[in-house]
Amino acid sequence: MTRKFTASLAIAFLATLILFDQATAKLNPYQAPPAFAFGSGLASAGGFCGALPQ
Protein backbone atom coordinates (compact mmCIF):
# COMPACT_ATOMS: atom_id res chain seq x y z
CA MET A 1 0.00 0.00 0.00
CA THR A 2 1.27 3.41 -0.90
CA ARG A 3 0.99 6.64 1.04
CA LYS A 4 -1.39 8.04 -1.55
CA PHE A 5 -3.77 5.10 -1.17
CA THR A 6 -3.60 5.16 2.63
CA ALA A 7 -4.16 8.92 2.79
CA SER A 8 -7.08 8.67 0.37
CA LEU A 9 -8.59 5.89 2.46
CA ALA A 10 -8.21 7.92 5.66
CA ILE A 11 -9.78 11.02 4.10
CA ALA A 12 -12.66 8.96 2.70
CA PHE A 13 -13.25 7.44 6.15
CA LEU A 14 -13.28 10.86 7.82
CA ALA A 15 -15.63 12.28 5.19
CA THR A 16 -17.98 9.31 5.64
CA LEU A 17 -17.90 9.73 9.41
CA ILE A 18 -18.70 13.45 9.16
CA LEU A 19 -21.54 12.84 6.72
CA PHE A 20 -22.98 10.11 8.94
CA ASP A 21 -22.80 12.38 11.99
CA GLN A 22 -24.50 15.25 10.17
CA ALA A 23 -27.25 12.96 8.86
CA THR A 24 -28.07 11.40 12.23
CA ALA A 25 -27.61 14.35 14.62
CA LYS A 26 -30.64 16.30 15.75
CA LEU A 27 -29.14 19.61 16.73
CA ASN A 28 -31.14 22.14 18.71
CA PRO A 29 -29.17 25.32 19.30
CA TYR A 30 -31.77 26.56 21.79
CA GLN A 31 -31.11 23.69 24.22
CA ALA A 32 -27.37 23.39 23.70
CA PRO A 33 -25.10 24.53 26.52
CA PRO A 34 -23.17 27.73 25.86
CA ALA A 35 -19.76 27.24 24.29
CA PHE A 36 -18.19 29.75 26.70
CA ALA A 37 -19.97 30.45 29.97
CA PHE A 38 -17.39 32.34 31.97
CA GLY A 39 -18.98 33.74 35.12
CA SER A 40 -22.50 32.70 34.17
CA GLY A 41 -23.05 30.60 37.29
CA LEU A 42 -23.97 27.55 35.24
CA ALA A 43 -22.63 24.28 36.58
CA SER A 44 -20.63 22.23 34.15
CA ALA A 45 -22.09 18.94 32.99
CA GLY A 46 -20.11 15.84 33.81
CA GLY A 47 -17.20 15.48 36.12
CA PHE A 48 -13.82 17.08 36.44
CA CYS A 49 -11.23 15.29 38.51
CA GLY A 50 -9.52 18.49 39.62
CA ALA A 51 -12.71 20.17 40.87
CA LEU A 52 -12.73 21.02 44.56
CA PRO A 53 -15.67 19.82 46.68
CA GLN A 54 -18.21 22.45 47.62
Side-chain angles (χ1 to χ4, degrees):
M1 293 204 307
T2 63
R3 287 185 194 169
K4 194 175 206 179
F5 175 73
T6 306
S8 299
L9 195 64
I11 290 172
F13 174 73
L14 289 175
T16 304
L17 183 63
I18 290 170
L19 289 173
F20 174 75
D21 185 46
Q22 290 294 321
T24 58
K26 294 178 180 145
L27 300 177
N28 185 349
Y30 299 107
Q31 291 189 359
F36 299 103
F38 300 124
S40 67
L42 294 174
S44 61
F48 176 61
C49 294
L52 296 173
Q54 294 184 5

